[in-house]
Amino acid sequence: MSKQIKTTKKPVLPIYMAALVWVLCAVLPVPLHTLPGIAAAAVLSLAAWLLGRKLCPTRVEIHEVDFMTGSQDTDAMLSQISARLDQLHQLNEAIPDEQLSQAMTRMERAGRSIVSKVEAKPEQAKLIRRFADYYLPDAVRILDTYAQLEKQDVKGENADQLRSDICQNASTIAGAFEKQLDSLYADATLDIGADLDVLKTILKSQGLA
């Protein structure tokens, strides 16, 4: 889901106009060496600055971003993963083989869950670097090759062997994606286990367990 960020751009024209007043006062016969002269230049400079603000007001720009984890590297990685998962989804729609399609659906589901998990806990980004840089791109490339073979209706022993190898290994790839997702819950499992132990001890001490 995309998010909106707002950036404020303050114009430089008012500053230039205010500075120009002082330059003109220095050139013109304005007694800047006197207090009244400085006061007059300051008033004119302020007026020029206000006029510049009116002519060129502050702009607020809204940008759409996919992720806002607080880390540009993590945001970029999650955006890259999401783009590849979108490509995987499109390939799945183009591939008629039901068994292969089921494996691809598992891959996408695990991949989306990985993105959501890391978005919620950006400190886990380092745990999915290989997934983002190698496993997912390689899987998409392999499945794209299968889709191209189907689209072009390539016949022959080599093409058939390639199709067979991809189909046979698709489930293994999906399982690897699911294991990657499961690894992100290792810390949570330890924490919940410790919390349950404490709770059971308390309940037992109070005669409730």
Side-chain angles (χ1 to χ4, degrees), residues 124-192:
Q124 291 187 318
K126 60 181 181 294
L127 301 178
I128 65 165
R129 179 59 64 180
R130 285 186 176 274
F131 172 80
D133 292 344
Y134 300 105
Y135 306 152
L136 178 58
D138 285 350
V140 172
R141 177 179 56 80
I142 291 169
L143 292 165
D144 182 61
T145 298
Y146 186 99
Q148 292 301 320
L149 290 174
E150 291 296 293
K151 181 179 180 180
Q152 299 171 14
D153 195 24
V154 180
K155 304 295 184 182
E157 182 178 348
N158 291 329
D160 291 342
Q161 183 63 49
L162 188 56
R163 288 188 180 92
S164 177
D165 289 343
I166 293 173
C167 287
Q168 290 177 8
N169 288 281
S171 181
T172 301
I173 296 173
F177 282 24
E178 291 164 348
K179 287 181 180 179
Q180 175 71 83
L181 172 62
D182 183 64
S183 69
L184 299 179
Y185 287 89
D187 291 342
T189 300
L190 293 175
D191 292 341
I192 293 298

Side-chain angles (χ1 to χ4, degrees), residues 79-95:
S79 294
Q80 182 185 55
I81 293 175
S82 293
R84 293 193 186 281
L85 291 173
D86 289 342
Q87 186 179 359
L88 180 64
H89 183 83
Q90 293 174 358
L91 289 172
N92 194 0
E93 292 184 337
I95 292 177

Side-chain angles (χ1 to χ4, degrees), residues 14 45 53 64-65 93 99 102 105 108 112 115 118 131 144 149-150 153 158 160 175 181 185 191 200 203 206:
S45 179
R53 286 290 302 272
E64 294 284 344
V65 296
E93 292 184 337
Q99 182 177 355
Q102 290 176 355
T105 298
E108 182 183 356
R112 302 288 184 192
V115 169
V118 174
F131 172 80
D144 182 61
L149 290 174
E150 291 296 293
D153 195 24
N158 291 329
D160 291 342
L181 172 62
Y185 287 89
D191 292 341
K200 286 189 294 185
L203 293 175
Q206 296 179 356

Side-chain angles (χ1 to χ4, degrees), residues 5-25:
I5 58 174
K6 295 181 179 180
T7 56
T8 301
K9 289 192 174 183
K10 295 183 178 181
V12 296
L13 179 62
I15 298 175
Y16 289 154
M17 292 178 65
L20 180 61
V21 169
W22 288 96
V23 173
L24 292 176
C25 288

